[in-house]
Amino acid sequence: MNRRLYPILLLLLLSFTACQNSGTTKVSATGSIYECLVVMPSRPLPQPQIVHSASAYDEDIVTTYDLVKAVMAADMPCLPQIEPYFKLTHVTPQAFDDFLKPTRNILMIDIDSARYTTTKAKYSVDYWSHPQALYRIQTPDVESFMAFWQANGQAIREWFVQQELQRQIRFYRASTNKTARAALQRTIGIDLLVPEDYMLIKDTTDFVWCCNNKGSLRRDIVVWSYPYTDAKTFTLDYLNRKRDEVLGQYISASVPGSYMGTEYKFFPPTFRYVSALPNAADSLSKHDFYAAEVRGLWKMYSGEAMGGPFVSLTRLDSLGQRVITTEVFVLAPGQKKRNPLRQAEAILYTLRP
């Protein structure tokens, strides 16, 4: 399997330094999940730029903050409505005071030719509060910052995403559904931190389905496995066909003959390879963990007008010569779906064979 990794690994090629205070009890972080405070000057760029691919529409990028916003607040892919990766709040360095220091996610960018001759970056965890992710960039001028951000902005955004996923994983560890975990161990041969408020829906040969149904918001987890017989398994086309085959067989709606499938026409699924969460307090970080990630929209065919976003991770169990797919999908009519999907997505990274 081609083990290309997402640009987050570019971080490992840079001389970043992780800092962390110790000895004192941290105050609780403020702010909501997938919100980020950007502390930086808003300097004019040498010439305006146009971003075509980061959002659903073209925007003029005329300041340094615009450049950051185009990446950090770009549209998250494969959602049925426009939602950003992060909701941003922007303040100048002069306005960054003790009240703002406990913020959950902070991106600090200092542009000062009198203090810096080269661009440096470092990240910290739990620096002023807990849980907190702090990323700092120090650079001498606008041109140097532009070059650094264009090369590493998406990887920095992914670092903040990974911090949020790790926090969610730690939350799930405190309380899990033992019945669902036992079913996964017995049927699929894996362990997965299924949260306690998910119920076991189906447990059959090579397929397990759990659900968290809370009023108008529903999150589902499905896991299935099959023999590894084709080197083309880890491609978008193969995984799409396998998803439609398996979920079309097991998942239906109230209308007889309805079945779950994938939306291809308006929001085609996306594909990438991912690795284990970096620096995770999870034993997965101690093992090679490569997976194919597919994001897209699901829909019901021949039945009700139902649909929503999904994300799946597919990995190879080399000892058992089989393929294991874990997927979460969300149904939340009329609601924003980024946070529910991200919260459920963290469960996928807790898989252990």
Side-chain angles (χ1 to χ4, degrees), residues 14-26:
L14 303 173
S15 58
F16 292 167
T17 306
C19 309
Q20 187 171 351
N21 284 348
S22 60
T24 59
T25 301
K26 302 294 192 305

Side-chain angles (χ1 to χ4, degrees), residues 216-231:
S216 60
L217 174 60
R218 171 172 173 152
R219 286 174 278 204
D220 292 72
I221 306 169
V222 286
V223 185
W224 66 90
S225 66
Y226 50 94
Y228 177 61
T229 59
D230 191 337

Side-chain angles (χ1 to χ4, degrees), residues 76-276:
M76 187 172 161
C78 299
L79 291 178
Q81 71 266 22
I82 295 175
E83 295 186 65
Y85 277 92
F86 285 88
K87 179 181 178 182
L88 302 184
T89 300
H90 175 219
V91 299
T92 64
Q94 294 75 21
F96 182 64
D97 56 17
D98 289 342
F99 178 77
L100 295 174
K101 286 181 179 178
T103 303
R104 181 186 188 94
N105 299 305
I106 303 177
L107 173 61
M108 299 184 68
I109 301 169
D110 192 7
I111 304 174
D112 190 341
S113 59
R115 300 175 62 190
Y116 314 115
T117 58
T118 60
T119 301
K120 297 182 180 180
K122 59 184 178 181
Y123 60 85
S124 309
V125 177
D126 296 348
Y127 191 81
W128 285 301
S129 64
H130 173 80
Q132 184 183 60
L134 170 65
Y135 201 104
R136 298 182 179 184
I137 301 171
Q138 299 168 338
T139 188
D141 49 53
V142 170
E143 290 78 5
S144 298
F145 169 69
M146 289 176 60
F148 178 83
W149 185 258
Q150 289 169 347
N152 302 287
Q154 291 188 26
I156 293 169
R157 181 185 68 199
E158 184 68 10
W159 182 79
F160 279 105
V161 170
Q162 298 290 350
Q163 297 306 307
E164 290 284 14
L165 292 175
Q166 289 178 40
R167 295 163 185 162
Q168 195 66 41
I169 288 173
R170 288 193 287 269
F171 174 78
Y172 288 143
R173 286 191 178 282
S175 180
T176 60
N177 186 317
K178 296 180 180 178
T179 301
R181 292 178 68 181
L184 285 163
Q185 293 168 10
R186 179 179 63 253
T187 303
I188 310 294
I190 65 166
D191 188 21
L192 195 72
L193 298 185
V194 180
E196 186 176 39
D197 57 350
Y198 281 68
M199 66 178 67
L200 181 63
I201 300 294
K202 187 179 291 291
D203 174 14
T204 187
T205 305
D206 297 325
F207 184 83
V208 174
W209 177 12
C210 302
C211 173
N212 173 340
N213 192 358
K214 292 187 174 180
S216 60
L217 174 60
R218 171 172 173 152
R219 286 174 278 204
D220 292 72
I221 306 169
V222 286
V223 185
W224 66 90
S225 66
Y226 50 94
Y228 177 61
T229 59
D230 191 337
K232 296 181 180 179
T233 294
F234 291 87
T235 63
L236 178 59
D237 181 65
Y238 187 100
L239 295 176
N240 282 340
R241 286 188 283 110
K242 179 60 71 171
R243 179 184 191 276
D244 289 340
E245 173 190 332
V246 173
L247 300 188
Q249 174 185 355
Y250 287 112
I251 299 181
S252 63
S254 59
V255 176
S258 62
Y259 60 94
M260 175 179 278
T262 306
E263 167 61 55
Y264 295 105
K265 184 176 181 180
F266 299 105
F267 296 93
T270 64
F271 175 93
R272 65 170 181 161
Y273 290 113
V274 296
S275 64

